[in-house]
Amino acid sequence: MEYVKLGDSDLSVSRVCLGTMTFGEQVDEATAHAIMDRALERGINFLDTAEMYSVPPRAETFGATERILGNWFTSRPGVRERVVLASKVAGPARGYDWIRNASPDLTGADIIAACDASLQRLRTDRIDLYQIHWPVRNVPMFGAIYFDPARDKQVSSIHEQLDAMAKLVKAGKVRAIGLSNETPYGVMEFLRVAEQHGLPRVVSVQNPYCLVNRSVENGLDEVLYRTGVSLLAYSPLGFGLLTGKYDECGLAAGTGAGRLAIYDSMKKQRWGRADALAAARRYNALARQHGLTPTRMALAYCYTKWLVTSTIIGVTTREQLDEDLDAWGTTLSPELLQAIDQVRWEMRDPAQ
């Protein structure tokens, strides 16, 4: 495993990060602990969670993943010092009335209270990377494509959000801050306001990046390169589409153990689009033609891209974890990369 500096912070993270949003829903606590044990054995020192996890989000499992991580830390003395821990504060409620009473805003006070609650669940005195899970302002995201000015409303400013983060950093509760599901404008504005007011600078952006969603390459890539902000690529396997598990059976209920087959709510999201499955089938066939499993090709694509600092993998078993990590070190030939780009030219980013 390789390790790299996260943005301009002093955090050194593994090039593969373990995402934990399945813990507490698809994965029970004992299995989650075994997966994290194995991740440490294989060289992963970077764990990502969020206050709203498990996923799919439900009131009953809000905070469950953080509690599982907290129990893991307390049952394994010394482990907390070996990992870089990332978590997130949820943005304005998207129909989740159990998050801040469905508030359409995320105030500075909300950020501080959410961080304190996460620290309690995680049973730690600090979060190494604290991220805003999705923008507070009106932004097309999670499958929406077009910006609609008519949806604008008065919400907390970026200055207020950064000021709250600054208080957390000053108190020693947070070491570095980041964003998630952000746009090029959003990243630049956070950087501008931070510089103007002497507030903490974001070190990373966690956005989807995979073969069926390369929208990061539509402008955000240049922003990250020129500002030195790191990309944390999530859903590198397109919610399982790029493993090949849905190639034959599709997304019908009961046809597989994957999230897109189990949860109707996820079928309605960007990953459940017919176009996304059609594109995934093209990529998966391409992988097999070149002697690779679909999983290995999709992960190798993220692992080897210059713009990806760390790739966030999500698993439900130790076997899946090992398969994902065994893909590390795989290189893709120029001919295969050209063929991948040709598919994208024809099908673009169906899971954007």
Side-chain angles (χ1 to χ4, degrees), residues 177-194:
I177 67 170
L179 304 171
S180 185
N181 299 295
E182 258 298 357
T183 68
Y185 166 82
V187 176
M188 291 301 298
E189 188 65 3
F190 268 90
L191 294 174
R192 184 192 69 80
V193 173

Side-chain angles (χ1 to χ4, degrees), residues 79-94:
V79 161
R80 175 65 186 92
E81 303 305 318
R82 296 173 56 191
V83 303
V84 176
L85 175 63
S87 193
K88 314 179 199 74
V89 53
R94 301 170 54 243

Side-chain angles (χ1 to χ4, degrees), residues 180-243:
S180 185
N181 299 295
E182 258 298 357
T183 68
Y185 166 82
V187 176
M188 291 301 298
E189 188 65 3
F190 268 90
L191 294 174
R192 184 192 69 80
V193 173
E195 181 176 2
Q196 180 179 356
H197 297 281
L199 296 169
R201 190 178 193 271
V202 297
V203 302
S204 61
V205 177
Q206 183 179 150
N207 273 26
Y209 184 70
C210 63
L211 294 174
V212 292
N213 183 350
R214 291 168 57 182
S215 55
V216 166
E217 296 173 322
N218 297 336
L220 184 57
D221 51 354
E222 181 185 6
V223 168
L224 300 180
Y225 173 75
R226 300 197 184 283
T227 61
V229 174
S230 292
L231 174 64
L232 306 180
Y234 79 74
S235 293
L237 295 174
F239 258 56
L241 291 176
L242 296 166
T243 67

Side-chain angles (χ1 to χ4, degrees), residues 143-145 251 267 269-278 349-352:
I145 297 176
L251 307 183
K267 293 184 179 71
Q269 299 178 16
R270 52 189 160 169
W271 311 105
R273 293 171 181 160
D275 289 349
L277 178 58
D349 298 312
Q352 181 176 348

Side-chain angles (χ1 to χ4, degrees), residues 92-322:
R94 301 170 54 243
Y96 309 141
D97 59 9
W98 58 90
I99 302 178
R100 287 178 286 279
N101 296 316
S103 171
D105 198 1
L106 176 68
T107 67
D110 290 335
I111 291 172
I112 292 172
C115 182
D116 286 340
S118 286
L119 288 169
Q120 287 186 346
R121 289 188 291 266
L122 290 163
R123 300 193 185 187
T124 185
D125 61 353
R126 73 196 181 284
I127 295 171
D128 298 308
L129 175 66
Y130 198 46
Q131 306 152 99
I132 297 175
H133 207 151
W134 58 85
V136 179
R137 67 191 189 283
N138 167 35
V139 172
M141 57 185 168
F142 300 122
I145 297 176
Y146 302 111
F147 175 72
D148 181 3
R151 296 174 64 89
D152 271 0
K153 54 190 172 186
Q154 189 67 38
V155 292
S156 301
S157 67
I158 286 175
H159 188 186
E160 179 178 345
Q161 296 162 51
L162 279 174
D163 189 60
M165 289 292 200
K167 292 175 181 176
L168 292 171
V169 171
K170 185 176 181 180
K173 297 176 181 180
V174 168
R175 293 179 63 187
I177 67 170
L179 304 171
S180 185
N181 299 295
E182 258 298 357
T183 68
Y185 166 82
V187 176
M188 291 301 298
E189 188 65 3
F190 268 90
L191 294 174
R192 184 192 69 80
V193 173
E195 181 176 2
Q196 180 179 356
H197 297 281
L199 296 169
R201 190 178 193 271
V202 297
V203 302
S204 61
V205 177
Q206 183 179 150
N207 273 26
Y209 184 70
C210 63
L211 294 174
V212 292
N213 183 350
R214 291 168 57 182
S215 55
V216 166
E217 296 173 322
N218 297 336
L220 184 57
D221 51 354
E222 181 185 6
V223 168
L224 300 180
Y225 173 75
R226 300 197 184 283
T227 61
V229 174
S230 292
L231 174 64
L232 306 180
Y234 79 74
S235 293
L237 295 174
F239 258 56
L241 291 176
L242 296 166
T243 67
K245 71 172 74 174
Y246 302 112
D247 283 3
E248 296 297 326
C249 62
L251 307 183
T255 56
R259 287 169 287 180
L260 289 174
I262 297 171
Y263 302 106
D264 288 338
S265 61
M266 291 190 170
K267 293 184 179 71
K268 300 174 184 177
Q269 299 178 16
R270 52 189 160 169
W271 311 105
R273 293 171 181 160
D275 289 349
L277 178 58
R281 284 170 169 156
R282 287 277 303 275
Y283 288 118
N284 297 340
L286 189 60
R288 297 182 185 103
Q289 291 167 15
H290 286 259
L292 299 171
T293 65
T295 295
R296 183 175 287 268
M297 186 183 84
L299 289 175
Y301 188 81
C302 288
Y303 290 167
T304 56
K305 289 292 283 192
W306 65 265
L307 57 86
V308 177
T309 297
S310 188
T311 301
I312 303 174
I313 59 171
V315 302
T316 56
T317 65
R318 281 173 47 124
E319 291 73 23
Q320 286 181 350
L321 175 67
D322 282 333

